[in-house]
Amino acid sequence: MAQSRHAVEKEQSTKITALVVDDNRINRTIHCRLLNNLGVENEVVGNGKEAVDAHCSGKKFDLILMDMEMPIMNGIEATRKLREMGNRSMIAGVSSRSMEEDIQEFIEAGLDDYQEKPLTMSKLISLIRKIKLNG
Amino acid sequence: MDIVSQLQRQFIDYSASLHHEGFVDDQFTQLQKLQDENSPDFVVEVASLFFEDCEKLINNMARALEQQQGVDFKQVDASVHQLKGSSSSIGAVRVKNVCISFRSFCEAQNREGCLRCLQQVTHEYSLLKNKLQTLFRLEQQLLAAGGSIK
């Protein structure tokens, strides 16, 4: 079976990369620390537009942790835009919303997963396991 | 009991009381677990960010609610939402719970309700800040005596 270049690179390197997208600096600090502890290389941005700009600049991430409510460009719009531009990262929505109708639009924008805040080590490990399984 | 054991007991008991009295929840314990020799001040750093955020957001809410011409409840709600998010992430459960009520009053555009919540959130934040500063002091005393918090 032909493998994508990205899948081959993933096999050769176990280093996973992630982008934290959140307008709250406490969340960015905590999520960054969680990722560092798991050996995941990561960057942080403060809103959806910065996430889209990162993609446009050619940066690739295995995992994007996308907050829902952010100024300038929220997580729903950013996820939609990233998918329209062909972004194939695992995008995990992270929000404090728990009502189904609130998160439905977010999921339909193109999420691969959704985790309710606060993000914990075990939630992150389950996301990383998914990435490794999907190669 | 030697001094290190005494200080350790004090730290553990005080930490337990913060949980028992509902000031912090398991999320705070998760943050403590993220602290290690590579980032020995992680919890203090996150708490400091939280204190700064709280003060800024509480001031924003107070200013918005003072407006005599008409309160912009969306603006108040935006600050409450931020504070709810931060408090949830650090495990500050009493602050978070006030924020939940606060958001309901914002949605109802109830100025009196909002003002009461502002008073409550200011009070809870102040209590929590004192409690956490005491905890960090106990931690420093324990570490200075050669003990560890793990």
Side-chain angles (χ1 to χ4, degrees), chain A residues 49-98:
Chain A
K49 183 180 180 302
E50 290 177 13
V52 169
D53 289 346
H55 172 84
C56 292
S57 72
K59 290 186 176 176
K60 294 219 181 312
F61 301 97
D62 299 297
L63 172 66
I64 298 177
L65 295 174
M66 184 76 77
D67 184 24
M68 190 159 87
E69 294 178 57
M70 293 179 285
I72 303 172
M73 187 187 289
N74 64 34
I76 296 172
E77 208 187 323
T79 302
R80 206 172 277 138
K81 259 200 155 58
L82 286 168
R83 293 307 192 204
E84 281 167 10
M85 290 190 296
N87 183 290
R88 304 272 293 272
S89 307
M90 168 181 274
I91 304 179
V94 185
S95 174
S96 50
R97 297 288 182 102
S98 57

mmCIF file of all heavy atoms in Angstrom, chain A residues 49-98:
data_model
loop_
_atom_site.group_PDB
_atom_site.id
_atom_site.type_symbol
_atom_site.label_atom_id
_atom_site.label_comp_id
_atom_site.label_asym_id
_atom_site.label_seq_id
_atom_site.Cartn_x
_atom_site.Cartn_y
_atom_site.Cartn_z
ATOM 1 N N LYS A 49 -7.325 33.067 13.836
ATOM 2 C CA LYS A 49 -6.651 33.668 12.670
ATOM 3 C C LYS A 49 -5.156 33.327 12.691
ATOM 4 O O LYS A 49 -4.562 33.021 11.655
ATOM 5 C CB LYS A 49 -6.860 35.179 12.650
ATOM 6 C CG LYS A 49 -6.237 35.831 11.410
ATOM 7 C CD LYS A 49 -6.417 37.322 11.344
ATOM 8 C CE LYS A 49 -5.771 37.896 10.078
ATOM 9 N NZ LYS A 49 -4.334 37.593 9.986
ATOM 10 N N GLU A 50 -4.575 33.358 13.880
ATOM 11 C CA GLU A 50 -3.144 33.036 13.997
ATOM 12 C C GLU A 50 -2.894 31.566 13.656
ATOM 13 O O GLU A 50 -1.849 31.211 13.115
ATOM 14 C CB GLU A 50 -2.638 33.370 15.400
ATOM 15 C CG GLU A 50 -2.567 34.878 15.649
ATOM 16 C CD GLU A 50 -2.129 35.238 17.068
ATOM 17 O OE1 GLU A 50 -1.645 34.351 17.801
ATOM 18 O OE2 GLU A 50 -2.295 36.404 17.449
ATOM 19 N N ALA A 51 -3.879 30.721 13.955
ATOM 20 C CA ALA A 51 -3.759 29.298 13.607
ATOM 21 C C ALA A 51 -3.794 29.132 12.083
ATOM 22 O O ALA A 51 -3.000 28.383 11.497
ATOM 23 C CB ALA A 51 -4.894 28.496 14.240
ATOM 24 N N VAL A 52 -4.701 29.856 11.456
ATOM 25 C CA VAL A 52 -4.806 29.805 9.987
ATOM 26 C C VAL A 52 -3.525 30.367 9.352
ATOM 27 O O VAL A 52 -2.984 29.798 8.397
ATOM 28 C CB VAL A 52 -6.049 30.599 9.504
ATOM 29 C CG1 VAL A 52 -6.036 30.791 7.998
ATOM 30 C CG2 VAL A 52 -7.329 29.879 9.933
ATOM 31 N N ASP A 53 -3.018 31.452 9.914
ATOM 32 C CA ASP A 53 -1.761 32.049 9.406
ATOM 33 C C ASP A 53 -0.606 31.065 9.526
ATOM 34 O O ASP A 53 0.252 30.978 8.631
ATOM 35 C CB ASP A 53 -1.427 33.338 10.185
ATOM 36 C CG ASP A 53 -2.380 34.483 9.858
ATOM 37 O OD1 ASP A 53 -3.122 34.376 8.854
ATOM 38 O OD2 ASP A 53 -2.395 35.475 10.622
ATOM 39 N N ALA A 54 -0.589 30.322 10.636
ATOM 40 C CA ALA A 54 0.479 29.324 10.835
ATOM 41 C C ALA A 54 0.421 28.271 9.738
ATOM 42 O O ALA A 54 1.447 27.861 9.185
ATOM 43 C CB ALA A 54 0.352 28.674 12.214
ATOM 44 N N HIS A 55 -0.796 27.839 9.420
ATOM 45 C CA HIS A 55 -0.978 26.853 8.342
ATOM 46 C C HIS A 55 -0.526 27.435 7.003
ATOM 47 O O HIS A 55 0.192 26.787 6.236
ATOM 48 C CB HIS A 55 -2.449 26.429 8.258
ATOM 49 C CG HIS A 55 -2.749 25.576 7.062
ATOM 50 N ND1 HIS A 55 -2.542 24.206 7.039
ATOM 51 C CD2 HIS A 55 -3.234 25.897 5.837
ATOM 52 C CE1 HIS A 55 -2.880 23.732 5.866
ATOM 53 N NE2 HIS A 55 -3.308 24.733 5.108
ATOM 54 N N CYS A 56 -0.919 28.684 6.737
ATOM 55 C CA CYS A 56 -0.556 29.343 5.471
ATOM 56 C C CYS A 56 0.952 29.530 5.340
ATOM 57 O O CYS A 56 1.475 29.559 4.224
ATOM 58 C CB CYS A 56 -1.249 30.699 5.349
ATOM 59 S SG CYS A 56 -3.022 30.563 5.140
ATOM 60 N N SER A 57 1.634 29.616 6.466
ATOM 61 C CA SER A 57 3.088 29.816 6.410
ATOM 62 C C SER A 57 3.822 28.502 6.187
ATOM 63 O O SER A 57 5.045 28.481 6.105
ATOM 64 C CB SER A 57 3.572 30.469 7.718
ATOM 65 O OG SER A 57 3.523 29.526 8.772
ATOM 66 N N GLY A 58 3.052 27.416 6.098
ATOM 67 C CA GLY A 58 3.656 26.125 5.779
ATOM 68 C C GLY A 58 3.924 25.234 6.985
ATOM 69 O O GLY A 58 4.458 24.131 6.848
ATOM 70 N N LYS A 59 3.561 25.698 8.163
ATOM 71 C CA LYS A 59 3.813 24.874 9.358
ATOM 72 C C LYS A 59 2.829 23.709 9.398
ATOM 73 O O LYS A 59 1.653 23.868 9.076
ATOM 74 C CB LYS A 59 3.644 25.725 10.628
ATOM 75 C CG LYS A 59 4.757 26.736 10.788
ATOM 76 C CD LYS A 59 4.672 27.459 12.112
ATOM 77 C CE LYS A 59 5.884 28.377 12.243
ATOM 78 N NZ LYS A 59 5.836 29.178 13.465
ATOM 79 N N LYS A 60 3.352 22.553 9.799
ATOM 80 C CA LYS A 60 2.506 21.364 9.887
ATOM 81 C C LYS A 60 2.489 20.853 11.326
ATOM 82 O O LYS A 60 3.530 20.797 11.986
ATOM 83 C CB LYS A 60 3.043 20.264 8.955
ATOM 84 C CG LYS A 60 2.963 20.619 7.494
ATOM 85 C CD LYS A 60 2.555 19.426 6.637
ATOM 86 C CE LYS A 60 2.483 19.775 5.161
ATOM 87 N NZ LYS A 60 1.742 20.987 4.838
ATOM 88 N N PHE A 61 1.327 20.490 11.783
ATOM 89 C CA PHE A 61 1.183 19.952 13.137
ATOM 90 C C PHE A 61 0.369 18.678 13.094
ATOM 91 O O PHE A 61 -0.593 18.571 12.336
ATOM 92 C CB PHE A 61 0.472 20.968 14.050
ATOM 93 C CG PHE A 61 1.185 22.288 14.169
ATOM 94 C CD1 PHE A 61 0.797 23.357 13.369
ATOM 95 C CD2 PHE A 61 2.247 22.448 15.040
ATOM 96 C CE1 PHE A 61 1.464 24.582 13.465
ATOM 97 C CE2 PHE A 61 2.910 23.665 15.137
ATOM 98 C CZ PHE A 61 2.518 24.730 14.339
ATOM 99 N N ASP A 62 0.753 17.698 13.907
ATOM 100 C CA ASP A 62 -0.041 16.477 13.990
ATOM 101 C C ASP A 62 -1.347 16.741 14.724
ATOM 102 O O ASP A 62 -2.377 16.159 14.410
ATOM 103 C CB ASP A 62 0.738 15.393 14.762
ATOM 104 C CG ASP A 62 2.025 15.044 14.060
ATOM 105 O OD1 ASP A 62 1.946 14.554 12.922
ATOM 106 O OD2 ASP A 62 3.104 15.270 14.641
ATOM 107 N N LEU A 63 -1.270 17.628 15.726
ATOM 108 C CA LEU A 63 -2.423 17.883 16.577
ATOM 109 C C LEU A 63 -2.642 19.381 16.737
ATOM 110 O O LEU A 63 -1.689 20.131 16.955
ATOM 111 C CB LEU A 63 -2.176 17.242 17.957
ATOM 112 C CG LEU A 63 -3.167 17.538 19.089
ATOM 113 C CD1 LEU A 63 -4.545 16.955 18.782
ATOM 114 C CD2 LEU A 63 -2.655 16.963 20.424
ATOM 115 N N ILE A 64 -3.886 19.791 16.596
ATOM 116 C CA ILE A 64 -4.242 21.187 16.902
ATOM 117 C C ILE A 64 -5.278 21.159 18.013
ATOM 118 O O ILE A 64 -6.337 20.524 17.867
ATOM 119 C CB ILE A 64 -4.809 21.916 15.660
ATOM 120 C CG1 ILE A 64 -3.752 21.978 14.548
ATOM 121 C CG2 ILE A 64 -5.269 23.323 16.044
ATOM 122 C CD1 ILE A 64 -4.239 22.605 13.250
ATOM 123 N N LEU A 65 -4.948 21.789 19.137
ATOM 124 C CA LEU A 65 -5.907 21.920 20.241
ATOM 125 C C LEU A 65 -6.598 23.265 20.069
ATOM 126 O O LEU A 65 -5.998 24.315 20.264
ATOM 127 C CB LEU A 65 -5.174 21.863 21.590
ATOM 128 C CG LEU A 65 -4.485 20.548 21.934
ATOM 129 C CD1 LEU A 65 -3.679 20.677 23.221
ATOM 130 C CD2 LEU A 65 -5.497 19.422 22.062
ATOM 131 N N MET A 66 -7.859 23.216 19.654
ATOM 132 C CA MET A 66 -8.570 24.424 19.232
ATOM 133 C C MET A 66 -9.627 24.827 20.250
ATOM 134 O O MET A 66 -10.617 24.117 20.457
ATOM 135 C CB MET A 66 -9.239 24.147 17.868
ATOM 136 C CG MET A 66 -9.935 25.351 17.260
ATOM 137 S SD MET A 66 -8.792 26.530 16.557
ATOM 138 C CE MET A 66 -8.378 25.699 15.017
ATOM 139 N N ASP A 67 -9.439 25.964 20.851
ATOM 140 C CA ASP A 67 -10.453 26.522 21.750
ATOM 141 C C ASP A 67 -11.639 26.973 20.893
ATOM 142 O O ASP A 67 -11.471 27.270 19.702
ATOM 143 C CB ASP A 67 -9.863 27.716 22.514
ATOM 144 C CG ASP A 67 -10.820 28.304 23.537
ATOM 145 O OD1 ASP A 67 -11.735 27.588 24.004
ATOM 146 O OD2 ASP A 67 -10.652 29.498 23.869
ATOM 147 N N MET A 68 -12.828 27.040 21.466
ATOM 148 C CA MET A 68 -13.992 27.419 20.664
ATOM 149 C C MET A 68 -14.195 28.936 20.616
ATOM 150 O O MET A 68 -14.265 29.521 19.543
ATOM 151 C CB MET A 68 -15.266 26.753 21.213
ATOM 152 C CG MET A 68 -16.455 26.906 20.281
ATOM 153 S SD MET A 68 -17.744 25.705 20.554
ATOM 154 C CE MET A 68 -18.697 26.488 21.799
ATOM 155 N N GLU A 69 -14.277 29.541 21.772
ATOM 156 C CA GLU A 69 -14.586 30.981 21.816
ATOM 157 C C GLU A 69 -13.313 31.796 21.913
ATOM 158 O O GLU A 69 -12.607 31.764 22.925
ATOM 159 C CB GLU A 69 -15.492 31.279 23.015
ATOM 160 C CG GLU A 69 -16.871 30.647 22.876
ATOM 161 C CD GLU A 69 -17.758 30.889 24.089
ATOM 162 O OE1 GLU A 69 -17.979 32.054 24.436
ATOM 163 O OE2 GLU A 69 -18.199 29.905 24.698
ATOM 164 N N MET A 70 -13.027 32.509 20.832
ATOM 165 C CA MET A 70 -11.829 33.353 20.793
ATOM 166 C C MET A 70 -12.156 34.624 20.013
ATOM 167 O O MET A 70 -13.018 34.611 19.138
ATOM 168 C CB MET A 70 -10.677 32.632 20.077
ATOM 169 C CG MET A 70 -10.158 31.415 20.817
ATOM 170 S SD MET A 70 -8.826 30.601 19.912
ATOM 171 C CE MET A 70 -9.733 29.783 18.597
ATOM 172 N N PRO A 71 -11.477 35.708 20.313
ATOM 173 C CA PRO A 71 -11.717 36.945 19.552
ATOM 174 C C PRO A 71 -11.070 36.852 18.169
ATOM 175 O O PRO A 71 -10.303 35.927 17.899
ATOM 176 C CB PRO A 71 -11.002 38.011 20.398
ATOM 177 C CG PRO A 71 -9.918 37.276 21.093
ATOM 178 C CD PRO A 71 -10.420 35.887 21.324
ATOM 179 N N ILE A 72 -11.384 37.759 17.299
ATOM 180 C CA ILE A 72 -10.845 37.893 15.936
ATOM 181 C C ILE A 72 -11.337 36.764 15.032
ATOM 182 O O ILE A 72 -11.958 36.989 14.005
ATOM 183 C CB ILE A 72 -9.295 38.004 15.908
ATOM 184 C CG1 ILE A 72 -8.879 39.211 16.787
ATOM 185 C CG2 ILE A 72 -8.778 38.147 14.480
ATOM 186 C CD1 ILE A 72 -7.404 39.345 17.016
ATOM 187 N N MET A 73 -11.002 35.512 15.368
ATOM 188 C CA MET A 73 -11.552 34.363 14.652
ATOM 189 C C MET A 73 -11.740 33.236 15.652
ATOM 190 O O MET A 73 -10.781 32.811 16.303
ATOM 191 C CB MET A 73 -10.625 33.907 13.514
ATOM 192 C CG MET A 73 -11.271 32.807 12.652
ATOM 193 S SD MET A 73 -10.159 32.098 11.419
ATOM 194 C CE MET A 73 -9.998 33.437 10.251
ATOM 195 N N ASN A 74 -12.995 32.766 15.778
ATOM 196 C CA ASN A 74 -13.231 31.726 16.789
ATOM 197 C C ASN A 74 -12.829 30.345 16.256
ATOM 198 O O ASN A 74 -12.439 30.184 15.093
ATOM 199 C CB ASN A 74 -14.693 31.742 17.256
ATOM 200 C CG ASN A 74 -15.680 31.392 16.155
ATOM 201 O OD1 ASN A 74 -15.389 30.574 15.271
ATOM 202 N ND2 ASN A 74 -16.859 31.977 16.196
ATOM 203 N N GLY A 75 -12.954 29.344 17.127
ATOM 204 C CA GLY A 75 -12.484 28.005 16.788
ATOM 205 C C GLY A 75 -13.291 27.348 15.685
ATOM 206 O O GLY A 75 -12.754 26.567 14.889
ATOM 207 N N ILE A 76 -14.578 27.662 15.630
ATOM 208 C CA ILE A 76 -15.442 27.066 14.600
ATOM 209 C C ILE A 76 -15.010 27.560 13.219
ATOM 210 O O ILE A 76 -14.793 26.752 12.294
ATOM 211 C CB ILE A 76 -16.921 27.421 14.864
ATOM 212 C CG1 ILE A 76 -17.386 26.798 16.184
ATOM 213 C CG2 ILE A 76 -17.802 26.961 13.703
ATOM 214 C CD1 ILE A 76 -18.760 27.239 16.647
ATOM 215 N N GLU A 77 -14.862 28.860 13.106
ATOM 216 C CA GLU A 77 -14.464 29.451 11.826
ATOM 217 C C GLU A 77 -13.063 29.001 11.425
ATOM 218 O O GLU A 77 -12.808 28.680 10.258
ATOM 219 C CB GLU A 77 -14.507 30.974 11.954
ATOM 220 C CG GLU A 77 -14.792 31.695 10.647
ATOM 221 C CD GLU A 77 -14.656 33.209 10.786
ATOM 222 O OE1 GLU A 77 -15.037 33.744 11.854
ATOM 223 O OE2 GLU A 77 -14.142 33.824 9.844
ATOM 224 N N ALA A 78 -12.169 28.956 12.403
ATOM 225 C CA ALA A 78 -10.785 28.575 12.114
ATOM 226 C C ALA A 78 -10.712 27.125 11.637
ATOM 227 O O ALA A 78 -9.995 26.806 10.684
ATOM 228 C CB ALA A 78 -9.918 28.772 13.362
ATOM 229 N N THR A 79 -11.484 26.262 12.295
ATOM 230 C CA THR A 79 -11.497 24.845 11.911
ATOM 231 C C THR A 79 -12.026 24.685 10.489
ATOM 232 O O THR A 79 -11.446 23.965 9.662
ATOM 233 C CB THR A 79 -12.378 24.032 12.883
ATOM 234 O OG1 THR A 79 -11.878 24.199 14.206
ATOM 235 C CG2 THR A 79 -12.396 22.548 12.536
ATOM 236 N N ARG A 80 -13.106 25.397 10.212
ATOM 237 C CA ARG A 80 -13.714 25.347 8.873
ATOM 238 C C ARG A 80 -12.703 25.790 7.813
ATOM 239 O O ARG A 80 -12.505 25.118 6.791
ATOM 240 C CB ARG A 80 -14.947 26.252 8.846
ATOM 241 C CG ARG A 80 -15.991 25.869 7.827
ATOM 242 C CD ARG A 80 -17.243 26.688 7.998
ATOM 243 N NE ARG A 80 -18.124 26.165 9.030
ATOM 244 C CZ ARG A 80 -18.768 26.922 9.938
ATOM 245 N NH1 ARG A 80 -18.626 28.226 9.948
ATOM 246 N NH2 ARG A 80 -19.550 26.369 10.823
ATOM 247 N N LYS A 81 -12.041 26.911 8.088
ATOM 248 C CA LYS A 81 -11.066 27.467 7.141
ATOM 249 C C LYS A 81 -9.898 26.519 6.931
ATOM 250 O O LYS A 81 -9.449 26.302 5.800
ATOM 251 C CB LYS A 81 -10.535 28.805 7.668
ATOM 252 C CG LYS A 81 -11.160 30.018 7.017
ATOM 253 C CD LYS A 81 -10.326 31.267 7.188
ATOM 254 C CE LYS A 81 -10.573 32.293 6.111
ATOM 255 N NZ LYS A 81 -11.973 32.730 6.009
ATOM 256 N N LEU A 82 -9.405 25.937 8.017
ATOM 257 C CA LEU A 82 -8.267 25.021 7.914
ATOM 258 C C LEU A 82 -8.631 23.814 7.065
ATOM 259 O O LEU A 82 -7.839 23.366 6.226
ATOM 260 C CB LEU A 82 -7.821 24.573 9.317
ATOM 261 C CG LEU A 82 -7.071 25.618 10.151
ATOM 262 C CD1 LEU A 82 -6.939 25.174 11.601
ATOM 263 C CD2 LEU A 82 -5.682 25.878 9.573
ATOM 264 N N ARG A 83 -9.818 23.290 7.250
ATOM 265 C CA ARG A 83 -10.257 22.129 6.453
ATOM 266 C C ARG A 83 -10.430 22.519 4.979
ATOM 267 O O ARG A 83 -10.034 21.756 4.094
ATOM 268 C CB ARG A 83 -11.574 21.545 6.994
ATOM 269 C CG ARG A 83 -11.461 20.896 8.369
ATOM 270 C CD ARG A 83 -10.385 19.865 8.466
ATOM 271 N NE ARG A 83 -10.477 19.083 9.685
ATOM 272 C CZ ARG A 83 -9.457 18.460 10.244
ATOM 273 N NH1 ARG A 83 -8.252 18.519 9.705
ATOM 274 N NH2 ARG A 83 -9.629 17.761 11.355
ATOM 275 N N GLU A 84 -10.965 23.697 4.752
ATOM 276 C CA GLU A 84 -11.134 24.177 3.361
ATOM 277 C C GLU A 84 -9.785 24.305 2.666
ATOM 278 O O GLU A 84 -9.666 24.095 1.459
ATOM 279 C CB GLU A 84 -11.829 25.550 3.344
ATOM 280 C CG GLU A 84 -13.336 25.492 3.545
ATOM 281 C CD GLU A 84 -13.947 26.860 3.834
ATOM 282 O OE1 GLU A 84 -13.228 27.898 3.688
ATOM 283 O OE2 GLU A 84 -15.117 26.907 4.231
ATOM 284 N N MET A 85 -8.756 24.627 3.466
ATOM 285 C CA MET A 85 -7.414 24.801 2.894
ATOM 286 C C MET A 85 -6.659 23.481 2.822
ATOM 287 O O MET A 85 -5.481 23.460 2.495
ATOM 288 C CB MET A 85 -6.632 25.817 3.738
ATOM 289 C CG MET A 85 -7.177 27.229 3.591
ATOM 290 S SD MET A 85 -6.120 28.493 4.335
ATOM 291 C CE MET A 85 -6.195 28.058 6.028
ATOM 292 N N GLY A 86 -7.325 22.395 3.175
ATOM 293 C CA GLY A 86 -6.724 21.069 3.045
ATOM 294 C C GLY A 86 -5.908 20.625 4.252
ATOM 295 O O GLY A 86 -5.133 19.671 4.161
ATOM 296 N N ASN A 87 -6.085 21.291 5.388
ATOM 297 C CA ASN A 87 -5.329 20.891 6.581
ATOM 298 C C ASN A 87 -5.799 19.520 7.055
ATOM 299 O O ASN A 87 -6.992 19.284 7.223
ATOM 300 C CB ASN A 87 -5.519 21.941 7.681
ATOM 301 C CG ASN A 87 -4.722 21.630 8.926
ATOM 302 O OD1 ASN A 87 -5.020 20.698 9.641
ATOM 303 N ND2 ASN A 87 -3.690 22.419 9.179
ATOM 304 N N ARG A 88 -4.854 18.585 7.259
ATOM 305 C CA ARG A 88 -5.201 17.214 7.637
ATOM 306 C C ARG A 88 -4.774 16.877 9.074
ATOM 307 O O ARG A 88 -4.735 15.706 9.447
ATOM 308 C CB ARG A 88 -4.511 16.227 6.681
ATOM 309 C CG ARG A 88 -4.832 16.471 5.203
ATOM 310 C CD ARG A 88 -6.072 15.741 4.740
ATOM 311 N NE ARG A 88 -5.895 14.303 4.751
ATOM 312 C CZ ARG A 88 -5.416 13.592 3.748
ATOM 313 N NH1 ARG A 88 -5.010 14.197 2.643
ATOM 314 N NH2 ARG A 88 -5.316 12.283 3.844
ATOM 315 N N SER A 89 -4.433 17.916 9.849
ATOM 316 C CA SER A 89 -4.052 17.661 11.254
ATOM 317 C C SER A 89 -5.238 17.067 12.001
ATOM 318 O O SER A 89 -6.392 17.278 11.599
ATOM 319 C CB SER A 89 -3.690 18.970 11.951
ATOM 320 O OG SER A 89 -2.730 19.687 11.240
ATOM 321 N N MET A 90 -4.958 16.401 13.107
ATOM 322 C CA MET A 90 -6.056 16.043 14.006
ATOM 323 C C MET A 90 -6.415 17.336 14.740
ATOM 324 O O MET A 90 -5.574 17.907 15.435
ATOM 325 C CB MET A 90 -5.657 14.974 15.025
ATOM 326 C CG MET A 90 -6.721 14.860 16.114
ATOM 327 S SD MET A 90 -6.399 13.670 17.400
ATOM 328 C CE MET A 90 -7.050 12.236 16.654
ATOM 329 N N ILE A 91 -7.640 17.780 14.552
ATOM 330 C CA ILE A 91 -8.073 18.998 15.246
ATOM 331 C C ILE A 91 -9.012 18.580 16.381
ATOM 332 O O ILE A 91 -10.068 17.986 16.135
ATOM 333 C CB ILE A 91 -8.770 20.000 14.306
ATOM 334 C CG1 ILE A 91 -7.874 20.351 13.129
ATOM 335 C CG2 ILE A 91 -9.145 21.270 15.092
ATOM 336 C CD1 ILE A 91 -8.480 21.332 12.128
ATOM 337 N N ALA A 92 -8.578 18.851 17.592
ATOM 338 C CA ALA A 92 -9.393 18.523 18.761
ATOM 339 C C ALA A 92 -9.952 19.818 19.339
ATOM 340 O O ALA A 92 -9.189 20.699 19.742
ATOM 341 C CB ALA A 92 -8.554 17.791 19.801
ATOM 342 N N GLY A 93 -11.253 19.924 19.339
ATOM 343 C CA GLY A 93 -11.893 21.087 19.945
ATOM 344 C C GLY A 93 -11.794 20.966 21.461
ATOM 345 O O GLY A 93 -11.987 19.880 22.010
ATOM 346 N N VAL A 94 -11.462 22.061 22.099
ATOM 347 C CA VAL A 94 -11.355 22.072 23.559
ATOM 348 C C VAL A 94 -12.170 23.254 24.061
ATOM 349 O O VAL A 94 -11.877 24.393 23.723
ATOM 350 C CB VAL A 94 -9.880 22.223 24.006
ATOM 351 C CG1 VAL A 94 -9.764 22.119 25.516
ATOM 352 C CG2 VAL A 94 -9.006 21.170 23.355
ATOM 353 N N SER A 95 -13.211 22.977 24.819
ATOM 354 C CA SER A 95 -14.058 24.082 25.268
ATOM 355 C C SER A 95 -14.729 23.732 26.584
ATOM 356 O O SER A 95 -14.802 22.565 26.958
ATOM 357 C CB SER A 95 -15.100 24.378 24.192
ATOM 358 O OG SER A 95 -16.026 25.340 24.649
ATOM 359 N N SER A 96 -15.232 24.761 27.257
ATOM 360 C CA SER A 96 -15.934 24.524 28.512
ATOM 361 C C SER A 96 -17.420 24.249 28.261
ATOM 362 O O SER A 96 -18.170 23.937 29.169
ATOM 363 C CB SER A 96 -15.772 25.715 29.448
ATOM 364 O OG SER A 96 -16.089 26.898 28.751
ATOM 365 N N ARG A 97 -17.860 24.351 26.996
ATOM 366 C CA ARG A 97 -19.265 24.100 26.675
ATOM 367 C C ARG A 97 -19.570 22.617 26.782
ATOM 368 O O ARG A 97 -18.773 21.782 26.366
ATOM 369 C CB ARG A 97 -19.573 24.560 25.243
ATOM 370 C CG ARG A 97 -19.402 26.035 24.992
ATOM 371 C CD ARG A 97 -20.499 26.851 25.641
ATOM 372 N NE ARG A 97 -20.362 28.264 25.352
ATOM 373 C CZ ARG A 97 -21.075 28.912 24.456
ATOM 374 N NH1 ARG A 97 -21.978 28.269 23.735
ATOM 375 N NH2 ARG A 97 -20.895 30.204 24.246
ATOM 376 N N SER A 98 -20.751 22.313 27.328
ATOM 377 C CA SER A 98 -21.097 20.901 27.444
ATOM 378 C C SER A 98 -22.430 20.585 26.759
ATOM 379 O O SER A 98 -22.785 19.444 26.575
ATOM 380 C CB SER A 98 -21.162 20.490 28.913
ATOM 381 O OG SER A 98 -22.097 21.321 29.572
#
